[in-house]
Amino acid sequence: MTRKGQVPLGERVYHSLRQDLAAGAIVPTERLGEERLAEIYGVSRTPVREALARLQADGLVERHSDGLYPYRPRLEELDNLYELRMVLETRGIQRVLDLSEVDAAQQVAAHDLAPVRAELQRWRQLRDDPPEPGPALVAADEQFHTTLLAAAGNAALADALTAVYVRVRPVRTLDLPTPDRMAVMAGEHIAIAEQLLAGDPGAALRTLVAHIDSSRTHALARAQRALQLTKLARAMRD
């Protein structure tokens, strides 16, 4: 029996597990066994079962023949999600370009450059003192892109991009960037921010397009490798 004001266990496990899935704290190829999750969250299997059912309804958990697993987009779906990401992010900068053709004052008013400056400083620090690869780095990358999109003056675009990231994050956490890839990522982020702050959204748009294209190539390659490993693991079990 739940006391007044007390969060039900199923609700608490649901939010904790959802957060862990979103942060990449749970390996995407790991089966979500009720007994193990009950041990992790310190509850019985019943609230875990309730939470998994809700997460499956949310589309963040999917059922395979041998149980429940974190959702992972298929190759075609992943490619489509990156296409949507390209549309959303380029539209943010295109809005600024459209305004600049009408009125430079409107462009300045519509584009909030303060968060862009903050992100530039953040990524210069990450370039000079690279962090260990992990979910925090993925989160920092996503924050850069959603911040830039929100700064362009349409919060709905940034919200839509966040929803895309929720869907692609399980793949991104399968194979975290190497130090070389991290250096390239930081350099491209810095270039985009510097170009925006220098008043050259056209150059920023070109750099952004190349950056997202590169990210899509890496994500699809990671997904393809994960699919091959999954098939191999299932064949060995069978």
Side-chain angles (χ1 to χ4, degrees):
M1 182 176 180
T2 302
R3 296 180 180 178
K4 185 176 180 180
Q6 200 174 37
V7 179
L9 283 178
E11 185 78 10
R12 177 163 63 83
V13 174
Y14 166 77
H15 287 291
S16 296
L17 183 52
R18 183 185 176 95
Q19 182 177 0
D20 287 343
L21 287 168
I26 295 177
V27 179
T29 54
E30 179 180 341
R31 188 172 69 87
L32 299 172
E34 292 179 6
E35 186 173 347
R36 183 172 181 277
L37 291 174
E39 292 178 2
I40 291 174
Y41 297 111
V43 296
S44 68
R45 295 173 63 175
T46 299
V48 170
R49 191 177 303 118
E50 294 172 358
L52 287 172
R54 289 182 62 184
L55 289 165
Q56 187 176 5
D58 291 343
L60 296 179
V61 166
E62 57 187 5
R63 182 171 293 281
H64 295 181
S65 60
D66 59 342
L68 294 173
Y69 287 81
Y71 160 81
R72 292 206 310 274
R74 306 301 180 262
L75 289 178
E76 182 179 358
E77 182 185 2
L78 183 62
D79 197 31
N80 290 340
L81 287 167
Y82 266 87
E83 181 179 356
L84 176 57
R85 179 186 167 189
M86 180 76 79
V87 170
L88 293 170
E89 294 200 52
T90 55
R91 179 55 195 156
I93 297 181
Q94 189 61 54
R95 291 183 79 251
V96 179
L97 287 168
D98 291 345
L99 287 173
S100 67
E101 295 175 358
V102 178
D103 188 334
Q106 286 184 6
Q107 176 190 359
V108 173
H111 204 181
D112 183 2
L113 294 178
V116 178
R117 292 190 186 93
E119 283 298 315
L120 175 58
Q121 181 178 358
R122 173 189 178 92
W123 279 91
R124 282 173 173 169
Q125 292 172 347
L126 290 174
R127 175 197 60 191
D128 297 339
D129 186 17
E132 289 294 324
L137 179 63
V138 174
D141 176 56
E142 294 176 3
Q143 178 180 316
F144 174 84
H145 289 279
T146 54
T147 297
L148 258 60
L149 190 50
N154 187 335
L157 290 175
D159 290 342
L161 180 61
T162 297
V164 171
Y165 276 133
V166 169
R167 308 296 281 184
V168 302
R169 192 177 298 134
V171 173
R172 300 190 68 203
T173 55
L174 282 171
D175 183 18
L176 295 169
T178 63
D180 288 345
R181 178 60 189 160
M182 287 168 56
V184 171
M185 178 194 300
E188 290 172 346
H189 285 181
I190 290 168
I192 294 167
E194 288 178 340
Q195 288 160 351
L196 286 173
L197 293 170
D200 192 352
L205 180 59
R206 291 189 293 273
T207 305
L208 177 65
V209 168
H211 174 68
I212 297 176
D213 268 335
S214 177
S215 296
R216 173 162 50 184
T217 298
H218 282 274
L220 289 172
R222 287 195 291 267
Q224 182 65 51
R225 286 197 298 272
L227 182 61
Q228 292 170 348
L229 289 173
T230 300
K231 288 180 178 179
L232 178 60
R234 288 177 180 171
M236 293 177 65
R237 287 199 302 268
D238 296 341

